[in-house]
Each structure stands twice: as C-alpha cells, then as structure tokens.
Amino acid sequence: MIKSKHIVLLTILIIFFLNFLFASEQNLTLFNEIIKANTGIKSLDAKIIQHIDTAEHSREVFAGRYIADNSGRFKIEYTSPSKQTVLNNCQALYWYFHDSNLLYILGHEKTNHRNPKINPLAEFQYKDFNEQFKMDYQGKELYSFFKFAHKFAVKDIKNDLNFNIKVDAKSNMLLSKIITNSAGMEILKEKYSNYELIKNIYFPKRIDVYARTSKGIIRNTTEYDNILLNYSVPENVFEMRFPANARKKYLYGD
Amino acid sequence: MPEKNIYTEIDVPIKPISIILYFRISVLIILIFIFALNLFAIEINRAEIIGSSVDLDIAESLIDIKGDFSEQDIEAIGIKITNEYHAKGYTTSYVEKLAVNKDGVLKIHVKESRILAINVSGAKGKEKEEVESLFKSFIGNVYNRYLLEKRAETVKYEYNLSAVKIYPVNYKDTSDVFLSVMVEKKTKGNFYGGIGFEPIYGITPMLGYYHPFADSAVDIYSRVGYKDDKVRRAEGDVKYFLFTNNSAGAIYIGANISMFVEQWESRDKEYERKSLSPVLGYRYMYKYLILDLYFSETASNIEDYKDNDKTFRDYDSRLTLDLGFSNKVNLLSKKDSTDIKLSVSSGKSDLNEKVYLISSAEGKSAASLSTNLRIIPRLYSYYTTSNERYFWQYVYDKRLLGFFNKYTASKWKNTAEMAIEYEIIPQFIYAGPFVNYGYFLDEFDKWTSKAGGGVKSTIELKNAYIEIYYAWDLSKGPSEGGLAVLAGGRF
C-alpha cells in the first residue's frame, strides 16, 4: 500500500517536473503561432474614419482611403476635413495639403526608416527573439461575454520595456498590446476590436491607439470599412505625385 | 695708371619666351604633379565601418568603394560619416580613426557616444523618480539629440513644466556621456472650475486657482450652491503648500470659510451654519499613494439647529487622516483607473459629549467588456459615532441619485453603484444605464434600503467634460425622475 502511494507521488512529481520543463517551450511555440496568425495581411485597401484627439487640439475626425502593403509603405487620401495626401514610401513621410499646395516632409529623404508594419506584432518577428525578449505566459482570462484570452508579458531587455499582450484564445487574434516602461507607466496602448473574417483572415475593423507623445496623450481611433485584403497593389500607388511648385517644409523625425 | 676695367659691357638682347615653351613647361609641371600624386595615392579595395550601430546612408555607398584615393579623399569620407551622425542627431559621435591595411581595406573606426547615466535636477521625490523613469530607457543607447528633445517635450507637457533642458557631459575621460536633465517648473498658475447641479445644494459653480512657486504653491477655490431662490452653500478655501526636501511631501497651512443651509428630514426644517476653520497638515505622495494628515480647529455659528431662532456656537478640534490610492497617473486611458480613498478622523466638539470618530471608504474601478463598452462599479461607506445630525451625511447625494427633494441624513450609510458606459462617438459621447443602491440608517435611526437608477451621458471636450444624469426611484418610475448635471474643466 505504502509502495503504491510512493509510486503515485513520484508520478505526480515527474509530471510536474516535465510540465515545468516543457511549459516555457510550449508557451514560446504558442506565442510564435500567434505572431504567425497575425501575419496573414500582405496588403490592404479600405475606407477609414479616424478620430484623433490630442492634448493640443480639439478632437478631429478624418475620413479617406487607406492603402498599405507589408513592406511598410502606405498612402492615405483624405477627403475630410480637407483634401490631403499622406504617403510613406519607406524613405520619408510626405503630407500634402491640396488646398494650400503645402508639402510637409517628415524625416530625411533617402534614409532607411523603420516603418509601421501591417502585422501588429511585427516587433517580435526576430530570429534572435530570445536575445532581446523574455516572454512569460500568464495564462487565460475571461474577457467580454464568456470569451477567453491568452495573456503574455514580454520583457524587452534591450530597451527596458514591458509588453502586455492579450490575444483571443480561439482565433489567436490580437486584442490589446500595452507597452509600459520600467516604472509601470503606460507608453503605448493598442486595442483591436470588431474583428471580421475576410478571405479567411481576421481583420480588426476598429483600432484604438493611445500614445504618450511630445504633444501629451494622443488617442487615435480608426474604423475600417469596404475592406480589400491581399490584392496586388500597383507600384504607382506609392509614387510621389506632388506638384513641382508645392511649397516644401521639412520636419525633423527620428 | 688708370685701373684696368676687367669687365666689358656687352649688350645681350633678351628674347621673349615663346608660347610653345610656356605650354611645354606647364605640361611638365602637370606631369610632375600627377606623378607626385601617384606616389602618395592609396589603393582601397573595400571599406569597413567599425563600431557603428546606427543606420547610415553612406554605409551602402561604401560597400563597393574601390580605387586609388588620396589622403584628403580618405579624410573626406571620415568627415562625411561624422556629418551624417550629427545630421541624424548623434551629435556627440564621430569618426575617431581611419586606417588602410595592407589588403587595401579602409577601416573607419567610429566612436559612438553612449549615455552611461542620467541625473535629473530641479524636481524632487516622486516627480523626480517619474521623470527619471521616462529617460531611463535611453541609458546604454547612443546619444541622440532629437530623440532626447522629443522625450523632453513629452515630460514638459506631462508634468506641466516650464522647460526640460538636456546637457550631455563627457563621462570622465571617455567619449560616452552623462546626461544632465534640468527641469524648470512653471511659474504660471492654472485656473480650474466647473458647474454642477447637486441634489442638495442646487446649481453649484466652482472656481479655483493654483499657483506654483519654486518650492511652494498656493491653491484657492470658492464654491456657491443655489436652489429654490436661496444660496444654500458658499465656501472659500485657501491653502499654502511648502514642499519638503524630497518634494514628495508638503506641509500646508490654510483656512476655510463656509456657510451652509442644511435640511432636517425628521423635523422638516432648515438650519444654517457659518464656520471658520484654520487647518495645518502634511501631505505625502509615494507612487500610487497619497497620505494626508491634518488638524483643523473650527468655530461655527449654528442657527435654528435644535431650537428655533437660537444660535449655538460650536468649537471643534479634529485630526484627520486621508489615504488615497490611484493608478491614474500611469494610465493612458484615465477612465480605466482604480481609485480608493480611506478617511478616518476624530475630534472633540461642544455638540458632542464624548470624543467622536468619523470614517469613510470609497472605491471605484473599471473593466472593459469590449473596446467601446466598460463596466464601472463604485462603493462608498460612511460612519460616525456622533449622534448629532450635524455630523451626519446626506444620503440622497450624487452617490444615490433618483431621490430628489429628499434630505435624510445618516450616521451610517453604504452605497453601491454599477454603471455601464458605451462609447457612442469615439472620444466624444458616452452613455449608458446605471443603478445605485443605498443601505443606511435614516434620521429616525431606522435601517432603510433604496434603489435608484437611470441613464447617464458624458460629453468630453478638450479640457472639459459634461455629465448629464436622468435618474429615478426604481420602486416608482421614470416619470418621477429628475435631472442632474455636472461639468468641470481646467483652463
């Protein structure tokens, strides 16, 4: 009898030990699966409405058409509040105001920029993930109405930042990403919601971004409609077509 | 005998040098120069930038570098790289050495200047810690003026500062830097205020002014309540804060002068009190916590309190400890904050035979059900050992809405509220239902429970907000309800 008790106890201990041993690897696999699940979008064309609230200005609503590809290039043709064109061609960010024929150039032209990728978890797509990041799986939690989310805490060792990531446990789609500094202060917060299945890809029709910037806390809510995914974007979309006589203003960027 | 002239003057005609000769000499000089250049030219097969960790435009063009270069050409490459560093904001980094090895490899040694440490001056205590934390992520990175200036702007705005100046100082004898961040506080004051409708005191405008000095500040505010053609509340308050060495703490001294017209529910009559209350206190802030300990001595004239047309003079000495917790500072979305406030006070007054005790606890949190839907629970509890109505709290205030024109006061009350807030227009209009429940001892010393509810709408503007409530007694109906409006802002 005593012997069988010992065997049961030993078995439990072995299971716990193995679970501990393989848990981190399983969690990393899960995290990689989640990153992969969010990489489905290669290009995007949609109508957008943006609600931008900065500490400096009153809330503004922008509407227009947004085209982007996964190399980081994007173009926004705003129709409201006025006709404006925003172009990021991986060299600089151009913002052209048609009415005033004014072109702002942000960043240094002919400089390699870090561009925002369509995949919201692109910063973790490094082959040296373990050298820069330390990932901790924090289990599942209930969110919304009886849905479960995986929770991850990822420490960026190099930059001393913490990423808190929540993904839907069923679809692996990102729900929120919060970046905090070492003092626990939120620096950036992104919320992804109203997911719709388009071409077998879950796409968030609403993205909320809160950021602590030089202008104070900025909140940007973008709502997407008439969404076209993964089509071949003609190269000329990202060509600069601003009038030669446009008044240019250069702005520093990092 | 005349001296013999041994020299004979001969006229030699000087012929002009022909143009052809000039040309020949020039060609010869050029050939000599080219020959000399060839003697000092250095053959380069490729170039390597050593010690660089930032993206450089020039790096790409150096990959295919090949050919004969003079010393000046090589030096120009070094200058170009240094210039690019500086243009990109890395103003303390530079090309330290250029060397060509026997294989023809040009080795460009770059000295990148890294930030080794940061010191913040001009701020103290909690503020200093927070500012330091916002710059801490730069430690170990290459010094970049633009990025630091950008962060300085953020800090300046976030902490309402006059300026944030950054000085890189050479770290010992190395090329790395020690970052000196100097914070300058604003010497300009801020007005703040609002207008609301309180169920008890009516339309209540409030105006305040906060003026900071180098190590101190003054806070002044006044408030008036007007209902049923009568001023039911008038209050003026002034406090002078003297920040202690670490600035996390402040000693303050002030005075409050007030007039209130209060309503008995059990006796169906009003009484009025006029008070003057000097206060001395100490406030301490640590991360999410605020501790406030203060002593007040209040002299009051109370009219018609128990006996009609009689004035009672009351002297009250009270010691209060408030403890607050809020994670609002760290959050980007303030609506998601958790706030807790605990208060305990004890004192002696002419109205009470014994020493009295007052305690209260309040908590609020928020949970997001989805991006535009959040649930907000609130709890509140108040208790006093005093049996005097004067020390009791109204029950049907903003924490228990739906019961207008009811004035019962309680020595022990507990309220709970659950609100659902839906974001109708992003960042602008929010609305949703709420229910609030109260369980309390009424003025007749009887335990009573009441439930109210209604709809709340919030409009958020740049520096202001408006909250509109329509609430009613849930045991009756919406037709029995009333409207309450709250508005506030900082300007």
Side-chain angles (χ1 to χ4, degrees), chain B residues 251-268:
Chain B
I251 295 167
Y252 62 88
I253 189 163
N256 179 287
I257 186 162
S258 62
M259 184 282 286
F260 285 87
V261 176
E262 310 285 25
Q263 173 79 46
W264 280 94
E265 175 86 10
S266 52
R267 297 185 185 183
D268 197 22

Side-chain angles (χ1 to χ4, degrees), chain B residues 283-473:
Chain B
R283 190 173 289 174
Y284 184 77
M285 289 175 280
Y286 178 72
K287 291 189 175 174
Y288 300 136
L289 296 172
I290 299 177
L291 182 145
D292 213 343
L293 180 68
Y294 57 95
F295 179 76
S296 59
E297 188 72 39
T298 307
S300 303
N301 267 347
I302 312 167
E303 288 174 27
D304 304 333
Y305 178 57
K306 283 180 181 168
D307 304 311
N308 287 347
D309 302 326
K310 281 197 175 175
T311 300
F312 182 81
R313 184 159 286 182
D314 179 67
Y315 292 98
D316 183 309
S317 307
R318 190 185 296 187
L319 185 69
T320 304
L321 175 70
D322 291 343
L323 191 65
F325 166 92
S326 177
N327 61 353
K328 209 172 264 182
V329 177
N330 278 6
L331 299 181
L332 287 165
S333 166
K334 309 297 179 201
K335 280 176 173 285
D336 294 327
S337 70
T338 298
D339 306 285
I340 296 165
K341 191 178 176 188
L342 305 170
S343 178
V344 59
S345 59
S346 183
K348 182 99 181 66
S349 90
D350 295 339
L351 273 171
N352 291 281
E353 285 175 9
K354 294 177 188 171
V355 169
Y356 64 83
L357 182 84
I358 300 170
S359 67
S360 68
E362 185 163 25
K364 171 256 161 189
S365 194
S368 291
L369 296 175
S370 69
T371 305
N372 44 11
L373 193 69
R374 56 168 63 81
I375 186 162
I376 305 162
R378 283 175 212 272
L379 291 168
Y380 180 74
S381 181
Y382 175 89
Y383 174 74
T384 177
T385 56
S386 174
N387 288 319
E388 286 294 330
R389 157 70 182 83
Y390 185 80
F391 287 84
W392 296 358
Q393 242 189 28
Y394 283 110
V395 174
Y396 303 114
D397 58 8
K398 64 181 179 185
R399 296 186 183 94
L400 187 55
L401 285 172
F403 306 90
F404 298 95
N405 298 318
K406 290 193 180 294
Y407 298 98
T408 196
S410 172
K411 70 176 289 184
W412 192 351
K413 71 166 198 173
N414 305 286
T415 59
E417 183 190 293
M418 189 66 86
I420 290 174
E421 187 182 73
Y422 182 77
E423 192 180 48
I424 297 172
I425 299 176
Q427 309 157 36
F428 185 43
I429 297 177
Y430 304 81
F434 70 93
V435 285
N436 42 211
Y437 175 78
Y439 185 64
F440 52 92
L441 273 175
D442 65 13
E443 269 183 36
F444 302 98
D445 213 20
K446 191 179 144 198
W447 279 104
T448 310
S449 66
K450 288 280 179 187
V455 186
K456 178 191 167 190
S457 177
T458 307
I459 298 167
E460 285 193 351
L461 304 167
K462 192 185 161 199
N463 290 321
Y465 67 90
I466 302 164
E467 287 177 358
I468 303 161
Y469 297 84
Y470 186 78
W472 62 90
D473 179 347

Side-chain angles (χ1 to χ4, degrees), chain B residues 209-264:
Chain B
Y209 178 71
Y210 180 84
H211 193 101
F213 301 102
D215 286 314
S216 60
V218 172
D219 192 10
I220 306 164
Y221 79 83
S222 62
R223 190 196 310 255
V224 177
Y226 188 82
K227 191 182 176 188
D228 299 334
D229 303 327
K230 196 173 182 179
V231 174
R232 294 184 169 269
R233 175 183 192 170
E235 205 178 349
D237 190 282
V238 60
K239 276 194 188 79
Y240 175 75
F241 294 90
L242 183 68
F243 300 115
T244 51
N245 281 341
N246 60 5
S247 197
I251 295 167
Y252 62 88
I253 189 163
N256 179 287
I257 186 162
S258 62
M259 184 282 286
F260 285 87
V261 176
E262 310 285 25
Q263 173 79 46
W264 280 94

Side-chain angles (χ1 to χ4, degrees), chain B residues 50-62:
Chain B
I50 299 156
S52 173
S53 64
V54 304
D55 287 338
L56 294 170
D57 299 344
I58 200 169
E60 268 183 42
S61 58
L62 287 175

Side-chain angles (χ1 to χ4, degrees), chain A residues 51 53 55-56 59 110-111 144 183-186 189 193 206 208 210 212-214 216 219 221 252 254, chain B residues 57 133 137 146-147 150 153-154 157-159 329-332 336 369 371 423 425-428 430 462:
Chain A
H51 305 258
D53 188 13
E56 269 192 334
R59 177 180 156 272
K110 296 173 187 173
T111 301
S144 190
M185 194 175 273
E186 289 180 353
K189 181 168 163 177
S193 57
R206 175 174 165 150
D208 289 74
Y210 301 75
R212 214 176 279 274
T213 72
S214 57
R219 187 182 160 190
T221 300
Y252 281 120
D254 52 285
Chain B
D57 299 344
S133 79
S137 59
Y146 300 151
L147 292 178
K150 211 171 173 185
E153 274 295 308
T154 309
Y157 178 83
E158 193 76 22
Y159 293 93
V329 177
N330 278 6
L331 299 181
L332 287 165
D336 294 327
L369 296 175
T371 305
E423 192 180 48
I425 299 176
Q427 309 157 36
F428 185 43
Y430 304 81
K462 192 185 161 199

Side-chain angles (χ1 to χ4, degrees), chain B residues 21-33:
Chain B
L21 187 62
Y22 266 127
F23 177 74
R24 282 177 183 167
I25 292 166
S26 302
V27 169
L28 187 66
I29 290 166
I30 290 166
L31 285 172
I32 291 167
F33 187 71

